[in-house]
Amino acid sequence: MVQMIKNPKNHDWKTIDVSEGCTIELFRPKDAKYPLPILLFFHGGGHCVGSAFDFFIMEYMKDYKDTLIVASVEYRLAPETPFPGAADDAIAALGYVHTHAVELGGTQDGICLGGMSAGGNLAAVALHHAAEHGIGVQHAYLQVPVCHVNCSGGVHHSFAENGGIGALPCSIMVNWWNAYCPDPARATDPRCSPIFVAEAVLKKIRCRVIVVTASADVLRDSGVMYAEKLQAAGVDVAHFMLRGSHSFGSMCDTKTMKEVKKEMKKVYGDRSKSKKE
């Protein structure tokens, strides 16, 4: 899989050093009209595993091969680097892409954010930072994001309902979370748990945000609450609930994913209109 991504037929690939321990894997379409939107993508894996050469990168490169620049972030992982390491890397990567957008082939107001699971968490962190600091974001896509972890239940009934089933059991989620955030006192920092972001920050978001949750996911309820918090703050948000578990809802609920992709195509474009003349 990694070798397939590292040898793309339709993209030029290079590695960019962002900060100590953090790099960006940049994939630029070979046959395209520039400038293009730049997708700053954060992979999943509980902040503990995974890499910038994620399966979903291949999907973006296939679906939008002529209309999208993909900048996949290789952020530092726990337990070697706990919070705020990955959050700091996400903000550093956003700053780099914003500063160098034109030379990368995009524009400063054409940056998109995306991520799955822990990557959705980091995309939300980057989105909040952008809103606070006046960095233009065109679009944000958060799939099954880690917005708040509470395996004891509480208001998040999905931990009790789905903690023993699906692709992400509660035991694995809590182990990853404890590795990323070993100090419980820091879990309410919005850079750690986006659900705690201030309403004043959300009111500064000017882009459309897509939040995708999964019905049989332990993270379902926190994702729903985050989407509702965005909506209450007046953010242009669309929430889609996939039928399925944490990682496989997009594969099982193809009907809902078609609706999600329609939304994404509005931003990432129709590749038939973007080839060089």
Side-chain angles (χ1 to χ4, degrees), residues 148-153 156-164 170 173 217-222:
H148 180 218
V149 173
N150 180 7
C151 284
S152 63
H156 303 325
H157 301 296
S158 54
F159 278 100
E161 292 176 21
N162 305 319
C170 185
M173 186 66 248
D217 183 14
V218 293
L219 300 173
R220 180 196 67 206
D221 289 353
S222 64

Side-chain angles (χ1 to χ4, degrees), residues 58-258:
M58 287 188 64
E59 291 295 300
Y60 284 117
M61 290 164 61
K62 179 183 71 174
D63 291 344
Y64 311 104
K65 67 179 182 179
D66 303 312
T67 60
L68 183 67
I69 300 166
V70 177
S72 185
V73 183
E74 193 74 87
Y75 55 87
R76 292 169 294 171
L77 299 174
E80 291 79 11
T81 306
F83 175 80
D88 288 344
D89 290 349
I91 292 169
L94 172 66
Y96 182 93
V97 170
H98 178 253
T99 300
H100 299 275
V102 174
E103 65 186 82
L104 295 178
T107 62
Q108 288 193 323
D109 59 356
I111 299 171
C112 304
L113 301 171
M116 177 176 176
S117 194
N121 169 288
L122 297 176
V125 169
L127 177 64
H128 301 162
H129 180 85
E132 283 191 282
H133 293 84
I135 298 175
V137 172
Q138 184 179 359
H139 183 265
Y141 175 76
L142 317 177
Q143 184 166 339
V144 291
V146 181
C147 294
H148 180 218
V149 173
N150 180 7
C151 284
S152 63
V155 296
H156 303 325
H157 301 296
S158 54
F159 278 100
E161 292 176 21
N162 305 319
I165 62 174
L168 184 63
C170 185
S171 58
I172 293 178
M173 186 66 248
V174 73
N175 286 339
W176 280 344
W177 185 254
N178 287 339
Y180 180 58
C181 184
D183 180 2
R186 306 196 74 177
T188 55
D189 186 323
R191 295 177 304 151
C192 188
S193 302
I195 197 73
F196 293 108
V197 66
E199 183 182 18
V201 174
L202 297 182
K203 286 184 175 294
K204 295 179 181 179
I205 295 175
R206 297 292 179 262
C207 68
R208 185 162 177 79
V209 181
I210 297 178
V211 179
V212 178
T213 57
S215 61
D217 183 14
V218 293
L219 300 173
R220 180 196 67 206
D221 289 353
S222 64
V224 171
M225 289 178 65
Y226 180 70
E228 291 174 343
K229 189 167 185 176
L230 289 171
Q231 186 175 36
V235 177
D236 181 13
V237 59
H239 173 224
F240 296 87
M241 176 81 74
L242 297 172
R243 289 179 288 104
S245 62
H246 181 75
S247 297
F248 301 106
S250 60
M251 302 177 191
C252 299
D253 191 352
T254 55
K255 181 178 179 181
T256 303
M257 276 308 299
K258 284 182 180 179

